[in-house]
Amino acid sequence: MSKPLISALAQFAAATAGRNMTKTAYVAVGVGVLSMVLLTDNRANEARGWVNGLLWVCLAYFVFEWLIRLRHMTRQGRLSLYMSSSAGIVDAIGALAVPLALVLGIEPKTAWLLSVLWVLKVVPGIPGLRQLRRVLVLESGPLVSVLVIFLMVIFLASVAEYFLERDVQPQTFGSVPAALWWAVVTLTTTGYGDVVPVTPLGRMVAALVMISGLGVFGLWTGILATGFAAETRRDNFLKTWESVSKVPFFAALGPAAIADVTHMLRTMELPARTLVIRKGTQGDCMYFIAAGEVEVDLPGKKVQLGEGAFFGEMALLGNNKRGANVATTKVSRLLVLDLVDFRVLMARHPDLAETIDAEARRRALENN
């Protein structure tokens, strides 16, 4: 076996040993699940051999992946931790579910349905999943409270409809468990129409249940939306804090002052050759360069400003018209300070005001 091939296999095994999904794993999941779906379609009988072959190849890959990770975790002394983790359990299910079903004598067409469990392997790679988990943990109290209300309404409505409709519709409302189906369908506002109360009081209860359903799901939506908004603000604050702390202009500020500035600034991620300021327009904010570079188009010359510099302050200190075009020269992260926040910040931190004013005078002399 040639050295390049050995090196490639070693790199592939090293990438597979990690707990993150590789591109090959994503392909295997996609091909495997699609093949399972095709296996259930009788119109694909002619390609059944190819479909079975693809399923076996995908299964072989997931078994290989699982064995590589077992070996890697054993060497690191973390085998028990891996086996008890959610990732380890999902890997084991992906490698063993279908073979165990086949060994137990389950029909192959049915056994391969278990390959749908392979989609669980992509869950850790879903963007925002960690944020969702944090929101669910932080808002678990309100969410559980609404769930309790949901269950109470379902149970009370089921008992009420059983009492009101059992004599009129004994087949559909002949017991509380039978009435539970109607309560769930009605409270979730699905409304299949297969079970409908016919008595006046029964319909009044149904109307209240439908209105309660709107309220319950509205509460759940509001709680999750508020939680996501709060979590997004936290993430943005941390990202802005990191960017502010890297700007030399704010280096002399203490943590309290940086936090104050962070609340005022907003972050802009801009690609290269993006016009940030157009000459002659109204100035309502200034910019700090957290990363990247911008080019100021002055009369007769062009000036590059790099990380840590700021621009746009001239329009806030005197004439509010922009005096030059400013564009990014490469991918840049800018921190934007609006006019109102600029004045508040200058009032709270006179030393910053003096620094900005001195820089503005220096640039005015250079431009002249």
Side-chain angles (χ1 to χ4, degrees):
M1 189 177 293
S2 62
K3 289 184 177 180
L5 182 57
I6 295 175
S7 176
L9 289 174
Q11 292 178 1
F12 178 74
T16 304
R19 297 177 65 179
N20 296 326
M21 287 282 287
T22 61
K23 292 181 179 178
T24 307
Y26 280 113
V27 172
V29 169
V31 172
V33 174
L34 179 60
S35 299
M36 181 271 294
V37 173
L38 291 176
L39 192 65
T40 63
D41 191 347
N42 293 327
R43 294 173 296 180
N45 285 331
E46 296 181 359
R48 192 170 298 277
W50 283 97
V51 171
N52 277 305
L54 289 174
L55 284 169
W56 279 108
V57 169
C58 294
L59 177 61
Y61 172 80
F62 291 127
V63 172
F64 167 76
E65 180 185 61
W66 183 55
L67 294 175
I68 287 291
R69 289 176 178 173
L70 287 177
R71 177 172 173 269
H72 178 70
M73 293 300 173
T74 301
R75 286 185 171 183
Q76 292 189 344
R78 296 189 299 166
L79 179 61
S80 59
L81 180 63
Y82 168 70
M83 293 292 290
S84 60
S85 66
S86 58
I89 293 172
V90 169
D91 288 343
I93 291 173
L96 300 177
V98 175
L100 284 176
L102 293 172
V103 169
L104 293 174
I106 298 176
E107 181 189 4
K109 190 174 181 180
T110 302
W112 281 114
L113 291 177
L114 293 173
S115 61
V116 73
L117 297 174
W118 294 342
V119 299
L120 296 176
K121 298 172 85 54
V122 307
V123 171
I126 298 176
L129 185 64
R130 183 176 298 177
Q131 187 179 28
L132 174 61
R133 183 173 57 190
R134 181 173 173 81
V135 170
L136 291 176
V137 171
L138 293 176
E139 304 297 337
S140 58
L143 290 172
V144 171
S145 299
V146 177
L147 177 61
V148 171
I149 296 173
F150 179 83
L151 296 176
M152 288 175 58
V153 172
I154 284 179
F155 182 71
L156 292 173
S158 302
V159 174
E161 288 296 343
Y162 164 71
F163 175 75
L164 295 170
E165 299 284 333
R166 60 182 175 179
D167 296 330
V168 182
Q169 301 185 75
Q171 293 182 343
T172 54
F173 289 98
S175 65
V176 172
L180 277 172
W181 167 253
W182 167 86
V184 172
V185 170
T186 304
L187 189 59
T188 56
T189 67
T190 305
Y192 288 121
D194 55 342
V195 181
V196 180
V198 295
T199 63
L201 289 177
R203 290 183 174 180
M204 289 180 61
V205 171
L208 293 175
V209 171
M210 285 184 271
I211 294 171
S212 299
L214 294 175
V216 166
F217 285 97
L219 284 173
W220 266 328
T221 304
I223 291 169
L224 290 175
T226 303
F228 267 109
E231 196 63 25
T232 301
R233 284 195 299 270
R234 291 191 195 98
D235 289 344
N236 290 339
F237 179 82
L238 292 175
K239 291 177 182 177
T240 307
W241 175 287
E242 183 180 2
S243 299
V244 169
S245 61
K246 291 180 179 179
V247 176
F249 181 73
F250 298 116
L253 297 179
I258 290 181
D260 190 21
V261 172
T262 300
H263 282 296
M264 296 181 179
L265 296 173
R266 52 190 172 89
T267 306
M268 292 178 61
E269 301 280 351
L270 299 176
R273 296 183 296 278
T274 300
L275 187 65
V276 182
I277 290 178
R278 187 181 298 276
K279 183 177 180 180
T281 58
Q282 196 83 7
D284 60 356
C285 61
M286 68 174 295
Y287 302 85
F288 299 89
I289 305 174
E293 183 184 72
V294 302
E295 184 178 73
V296 184
D297 190 4
L298 297 171
K301 62 178 179 179
K302 293 184 178 181
V303 178
Q304 279 74 35
L305 300 177
E307 184 174 329
F310 57 88
F311 60 94
E313 78 289 348
M314 302 290 286
L316 305 185
L317 293 172
N319 182 13
N320 58 1
K321 295 290 185 181
R322 299 295 191 187
N325 291 328
V326 181
T328 59
T329 58
K330 52 185 170 182
V331 177
S332 303
R333 185 188 309 117
L334 305 181
L335 304 176
V336 186
L337 182 64
D338 292 321
L339 176 59
V340 174
D341 294 328
F342 171 81
R343 292 173 178 171
V344 172
L345 185 63
M346 296 304 101
R348 292 180 181 176
H349 304 283
D351 52 338
L352 292 183
E354 293 176 2
T355 303
I356 290 179
D357 189 53
E359 180 67 13
R361 288 197 300 269
R362 185 187 69 78
R363 292 182 183 176
L365 290 175
E366 285 184 353
N367 296 343
N368 292 332

